[in-house]
């Protein structure tokens, strides 16, 4: 991603997966084959879930189809409007040690099965997240000049136009999984 690009997303808990799959197919956005993603989330040392995420950096190590991706996100407007940088790494274990040496600590492991579709400038992800349930994320990458909250309103309008049961969620997967595990 170029400097100043933001990933803007909205997320919903899915009430009826079959209805959602049908609505997306009708819009010309059939979902891909499922891919398993194994993510380890990291937060800056000193940060806790009681603190705001705005302006703080968070890291993620993802393994997907034998590839390891290192991502850093910094929420700007809210937890779902982030500056983001991502690159492939050769060795997950060595990258884990590098991340902790940089002053981050592991928070939550997130394992999910993801299916994706693209519709115009939107990327649609349907995720079955272990311990947390089934969700749809709708995202768009924008230049730094566009307001994240305005883009979220556009994405929300699209989500609601699908005509299926969706419950808006403002937490990130690490928070949702942590909440599910601590209440279990």
């Amino acid at each position: 991603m170029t400097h100043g690009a933001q990933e803007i997303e909205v997320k919903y808990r899915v009430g009826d997966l079959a209805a959602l799959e049908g609505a997306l197919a009708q819009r010309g956005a059939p979902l891909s084959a499922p891919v398993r993603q194994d993510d380890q989330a990291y937060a800056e040392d000193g940060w806790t879930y009681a603190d705001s995420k705005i302006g703080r950096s968070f890291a993620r190590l993802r393994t997907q189809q034998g590839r390891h991706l290192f991502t850093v996100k910094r929420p700007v407007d809210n937890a779902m409007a982030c500056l983001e940088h991502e690159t492939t790494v050769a060795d997950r274990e060595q990258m884990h040690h590098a991340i902790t040496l940089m002053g981050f600590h592991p928070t939550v492991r997130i394992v999910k099965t993801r299916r994706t579709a693209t519709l115009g400038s939107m990327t649609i992800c349907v995720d079955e997240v272990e311990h947390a349930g089934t969700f749809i994320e709708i995202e768009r990458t924008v230049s730094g000049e566009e307001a994240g909250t305005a883009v979220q309103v556009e994405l929300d309008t699209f989500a609601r136009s699908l005509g299926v049961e969706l419950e808006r969620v403002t937490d990130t997967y690490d928070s949702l999984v942590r909440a599910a595990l601590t209440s279990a």
Side-chain angles (χ1 to χ4, degrees):
M1 266 187 191
T2 60
H3 181 70
Q6 286 189 67
E7 180 189 86
I8 311 299
E9 65 184 49
V10 291
K11 181 182 295 160
Y12 304 85
R13 190 176 296 278
V14 175
D16 183 339
L17 181 57
L20 175 62
E21 291 167 341
L24 291 171
Q26 284 182 335
R27 296 288 180 99
L31 294 167
S32 69
V35 173
R36 184 176 187 270
Q37 295 180 334
D38 180 350
D39 296 353
Q40 176 63 60
Y42 300 84
E44 294 175 347
D45 285 346
W47 180 87
T48 70
Y49 280 92
D51 300 329
S52 170
K53 291 184 176 183
I54 307 300
R56 302 296 292 264
S57 292
F58 297 88
R60 177 184 69 213
L61 263 180
R62 168 175 289 164
T63 299
Q64 171 181 317
Q65 296 177 313
R67 289 182 58 213
H68 310 296
L69 293 170
F70 170 64
T71 307
V72 174
K73 293 185 178 193
R74 178 171 287 216
V76 179
D77 296 314
N78 54 55
M80 304 221 186
C82 300
L83 294 174
E84 179 175 316
H85 298 278
E86 185 170 80
T87 190
T88 304
V89 296
D91 186 318
R92 182 178 173 131
E93 186 177 339
Q94 286 299 310
M95 192 67 217
H96 166 79
H97 293 299
I99 293 167
T100 59
L101 196 60
M102 287 186 279
F104 288 83
H105 64 273
T107 55
V108 176
R109 192 84 175 240
I110 303 130
V111 178
K112 64 183 173 290
T113 301
R114 171 168 280 182
R115 294 181 295 154
T116 59
T118 303
L119 190 61
S121 62
M122 294 181 295
T123 300
I124 299 164
C125 304
V126 175
D127 295 324
E128 295 179 47
V129 183
E130 288 182 11
H131 308 292
T134 302
F135 299 86
I136 180 174
E137 283 185 350
I138 305 165
E139 58 188 44
R140 190 156 71 84
T141 301
V142 301
S143 69
E145 289 77 53
E146 286 187 78
T149 51
V151 174
Q152 285 172 324
V153 168
E154 293 172 25
L155 297 175
D156 181 63
T157 299
F158 169 76
R160 297 190 185 287
S161 78
L162 293 172
V164 298
E165 182 188 338
L166 299 174
E167 175 195 345
R168 181 92 181 251
V169 176
T170 56
D171 284 327
T172 55
Y173 285 142
D174 66 302
S175 295
L176 291 166
V177 169
R178 180 181 175 276
L181 291 174
T182 54
S183 70

